[in-house]
Amino acid sequence: MEKKILEIVNNIRESKGLSLKYKLEATDNLRNDLDLTSFDLAELTVKIEDEFDIDIFEDGLVSTVGEILEKLR
Amino acid sequence: MVYVKQQYYDRPNSWGYIIDRYTFTNYLSLSHEEKKEIWGWRNHPSVRKWMFNSNEINMSDHMDFIDNLEINYSKSYWRISYNDIPIGCCSIDKVEYESKSGEIGLYYRPDKQNHSPFGIDFVYNIYNFMFNILGFNTLYGEIKQNNTNSLSLAEFLGGKKISEYSDGDDLFYNLCISSETFNQIKTESLNPKNYLNFIKQNYIK
């Protein structure tokens, strides 16, 4: 699961010309540490939903990688 | 719609509008410290990189610019607060009084960009303010091609691309939205789920 999230995050980062991440930490903040904008978070949500069939923002805002993983478990 | 035009009695010639939880305060009504705070937001790399003039501006020019708004009727600038916490700014420029049109600008305060899911509520309330409080019929906007945040929100709320141009470095889209189009939007449709479906169909490859 973590590997797939990393792949999705890196797809988004790559499309913005950002360097790839080799590892995600649960404490990584989606905006501040991974440099994701509101639109990127929307794209992340769509891609995670396509992959796992779970809307990570359904119950409110998610701000860290750990919170995403929590929703997927 | 219920709104209150608020006079700040402790500051002459000052005014603002309160619409539900949002307050729009004219820059001319802000204190020196409040104007200085906005200068910091405007110069933040995450804000200025999307602007037509993406250079840093010095504080003296910023203050002069605001002072000049007193006698410049072609533009007005507003600080936006939500539940009394400042969260961003909006502006209307190149105002044409006959056609009731102008060019809109807006940005989030850099550390408040997660104020509402994907910014939908923020942008909706700015459009609502421009159309239904200030009384504009048509809003125009210029958005950089790679500013997918602003582009997708503008289109989600009814904005249409009408042309594009390059300044040599960047490609910009000119967008347009009318009050009629905006007011046909049903607020219940402005939920994150519909926005996600919209970008899935139109933006995500």
Side-chain angles (χ1 to χ4, degrees):
Chain A
M1 184 196 301
E2 285 88 343
K3 201 176 160 191
K4 192 68 203 175
I5 301 296
L6 176 64
E7 186 186 321
I8 294 171
V9 166
N10 274 335
N11 276 342
I12 294 172
R13 284 178 59 87
E14 194 174 19
S15 70
K16 289 155 57 95
L18 296 172
S19 62
L20 300 185
K21 292 276 180 186
Y22 294 102
K23 194 173 177 233
L24 294 178
E25 302 291 342
T27 53
D28 281 346
N29 185 287
L30 301 171
R31 287 179 183 274
N32 303 334
D33 298 318
L34 302 180
D35 299 311
L36 302 183
T37 63
S38 296
F39 181 83
D40 299 330
L41 293 178
E43 184 172 356
L44 180 76
T45 307
V46 167
K47 289 184 169 171
I48 288 176
E49 189 170 11
D50 283 351
E51 189 67 33
F52 299 100
D53 203 25
I54 290 175
D55 178 356
I56 55 169
F57 277 94
E58 194 168 25
D59 307 318
L61 294 174
V62 171
S63 54
T64 66
V65 169
E67 288 169 17
I68 293 178
L69 295 173
E70 196 63 36
K71 297 240 177 186
L72 298 180
R73 285 188 179 119
Chain B
M1 183 195 338
V2 178
Y3 70 93
V4 177
K5 184 169 182 180
Q6 175 178 296
Q7 183 82 38
Y8 297 90
Y9 291 103
D10 56 334
R11 300 178 203 162
N13 304 319
S14 63
W15 71 100
Y17 294 90
I18 301 169
I19 311 156
D20 299 327
R21 294 178 175 191
Y22 285 87
T23 303
F24 294 80
T25 310
N26 193 284
Y27 273 20
L28 293 169
S29 304
L30 299 175
S31 67
H32 181 81
E33 283 309 306
E34 289 167 335
K35 291 173 189 168
K36 195 173 157 187
E37 185 180 37
I38 287 176
W39 170 67
W41 302 346
R42 191 267 169 222
N43 275 344
H44 192 280
S46 71
V47 172
R48 67 183 161 87
K49 73 176 176 182
W50 301 120
M51 293 194 165
F52 190 74
N53 173 10
S54 54
N55 297 323
E56 274 192 61
I57 53 171
N58 66 47
M59 193 165 74
S60 153
D61 286 349
H62 174 73
M63 294 299 176
D64 288 348
F65 176 83
I66 294 177
D67 289 344
N68 193 47
L69 292 172
E70 189 104 49
I71 52 166
N72 188 336
Y73 300 110
S74 70
K75 57 181 80 180
S76 68
Y77 281 68
W78 306 81
R79 185 190 69 179
I80 305 161
S81 302
Y82 182 80
N83 284 345
D84 295 327
I85 297 169
I87 58 166
C89 300
C90 67
S91 60
I92 187 83
D93 195 358
K94 299 176 186 168
V95 173
E96 294 198 4
Y97 286 91
E98 206 163 300
S99 60
K100 295 184 179 174
S101 65
E103 188 175 300
I104 187 174
L106 57 97
Y107 61 85
Y108 257 127
R109 172 177 163 168
D111 59 344
K112 293 289 176 194
Q113 294 185 352
N114 59 353
H115 153 72
S116 65
F118 313 123
I120 301 167
D121 194 55
F122 179 69
V123 179
Y124 173 82
N125 276 282
I126 293 170
Y127 283 6
N128 185 45
F129 172 63
M130 297 283 178
F131 285 129
N132 297 321
I133 307 298
L134 297 186
F136 284 94
N137 282 339
T138 312
L139 297 176
Y140 296 96
E142 291 180 358
I143 303 178
K144 276 187 185 176
Q145 180 199 30
N146 58 347
N147 188 353
T148 40
N149 282 331
S150 297
L151 263 180
S152 61
L153 281 170
E155 291 196 297
F156 180 62
L157 291 169
K160 300 282 177 219
K161 288 177 193 156
I162 49 173
S163 61
E164 60 183 58
Y165 75 97
S166 170
D167 67 354
D169 296 319
D170 297 297
L171 184 68
F172 289 81
Y173 288 122
N174 289 306
L175 282 93
C176 171
I177 181 171
S178 68
S179 59
E180 195 181 355
T181 302
F182 175 75
N183 284 321
Q184 280 170 1
I185 294 172
K186 294 189 171 23
T187 48
E188 58 269 25
S189 71
L190 299 175
N191 57 59
K193 196 82 192 163
N194 284 349
Y195 172 70
L196 292 173
N197 284 333
F198 176 79
I199 65 157
K200 193 172 177 178
Q201 286 166 17
N202 298 285
Y203 282 85
I204 298 176
K205 292 162 191 144

